[in-house]
Amino acid sequence: MPAPSDRPHPGTAPPPDAVAAAGLTLNAPALKGIRQLSALETVRARIALAVDLGLLVPGERLPPNEQIADALGVSEITVRRALVSLGKEGVLERRRGRNGGTLVAPRPPKGVVDATAAYRSDATAAAVHQLIDHRLALECGIAHLASGHAGPSAIEGLDALVDEMDHLVGWAEFHGCDERFHLALAAATGLSSIIEPYTAVLHDLYRYYLPYPVDTLRESNREHRELVAAIRRGDATAAARVAQQHVEVLHRTMFVALLDG
């Protein structure tokens, strides 16, 4: 996920023609609005919105700065500045000592970060749902192809990533591992031409990624495990069905749906 500014997300950013191949319009108003935010404001908005929606709860400890930086595709200094500013606004608090760190404040105020408006707009909701549908179309085909083309080493690698996600305790680490899983799944098809357009869709959707409770993430990892099992059996129909369920749930669980609720 390339950051709106700052440094790129780990991995290779897709070229413009790959994005066009995915059918995306990168100058759409919602995407453009997000990109006009500075990296600092993006981090502030995403963490503040997660707090507003109860995805990060009072007293919850945030991951280390370097993990947040990797998950949100920015530099550590940007994360540090964002957390300091959110602390000054009462959204977060810093505790010292052995059990210290950066935590969500006991009674965080809501709506104090103006940049969250870019994520709350109707245009953003429409863009997110469209990106989910783009991903759905690609991922079902990827799962179907992988079930017939993935070799033992590819399946072993997917299994290892699923096992790793089962043992992660924070949303930031999980996000990076989840991305590696889905890109490995695309590579397992043996169809190199699908990787760039799929990466483009993932990275544009990741622009809207917020911290989510680990229990929610672990539920998605159960679907990862089911998907790998179907691929190992060579069951293309089951693999595509699990992929469909895995992506379609985003329509109901991403923050745009929570805002409607």
Side-chain angles (χ1 to χ4, degrees):
M1 175 182 63
S5 58
D6 219 303
R7 65 172 175 82
H9 190 279
T12 302
D17 58 342
V19 178
L24 300 179
T25 305
L26 290 186
N27 61 355
L31 275 174
K32 186 176 180 182
I34 297 297
R35 285 181 171 161
Q36 286 176 340
L37 295 175
S38 68
L40 175 63
E41 285 303 305
T42 297
V43 176
R44 282 168 41 78
R46 292 159 90 177
I47 292 177
L49 189 55
V51 173
D52 287 353
L53 293 172
L55 300 173
L56 293 174
V57 299
E60 181 171 346
R61 181 178 287 101
L62 270 62
N65 290 359
E66 63 271 19
Q67 292 181 13
I68 298 176
D70 283 342
L72 301 187
V74 298
S75 66
E76 284 187 52
I77 191 168
T78 295
V79 170
R80 191 177 306 115
R81 290 172 60 202
L83 299 188
V84 168
S85 67
L86 289 172
K88 291 178 179 177
E89 291 167 322
V91 177
L92 305 176
E93 66 175 20
R94 176 73 181 174
R95 295 182 187 171
R96 300 188 179 277
R98 184 175 179 181
N99 296 316
T102 302
L103 293 81
V104 179
R107 290 179 292 279
K110 294 186 176 183
V112 297
V113 177
D114 292 341
T116 60
Y119 291 83
R120 293 177 178 272
S121 71
D122 290 341
T124 293
V128 170
H129 287 303
Q130 184 183 45
L131 283 166
I132 293 169
D133 285 338
H134 276 295
R135 177 177 172 180
L136 176 64
L138 287 171
E139 195 143 331
C140 288
I142 285 169
H144 189 283
L145 286 170
S147 67
H149 293 85
S153 62
I155 294 173
E156 183 179 336
L158 292 169
D159 267 333
L161 288 167
V162 171
D163 288 342
E164 183 178 349
M165 281 184 275
D166 265 346
H167 293 91
L168 296 177
V169 297
W171 54 267
E173 288 181 297
F174 190 99
H175 176 62
C177 197
D178 179 78
E179 180 179 358
R180 293 197 303 276
F181 173 87
H182 286 286
L183 293 179
L185 181 65
T189 65
L191 187 63
S192 60
S193 60
I194 198 64
I195 295 175
E196 285 186 349
Y198 181 61
T199 301
V201 173
L202 279 184
H203 284 182
D204 270 327
L205 192 53
Y206 287 162
R207 290 181 183 276
Y208 301 96
Y209 175 79
L210 301 184
Y212 278 82
V214 172
D215 287 346
T216 299
L217 300 176
R218 292 235 168 93
E219 179 62 33
S220 76
N221 199 39
R222 281 193 279 273
E223 293 172 342
H224 291 157
R225 194 174 293 282
E226 290 177 25
L227 178 55
V228 177
I231 291 170
R232 180 180 289 104
R233 298 194 307 269
D235 190 338
T237 300
R241 183 177 63 251
V242 174
Q244 178 184 4
Q245 294 169 349
H246 184 67
V247 178
E248 280 190 336
V249 74
L250 295 177
H251 282 301
R252 304 188 301 275
T253 59
M254 280 195 72
F255 71 92
V256 291
L258 300 178
L259 287 168
D260 288 341

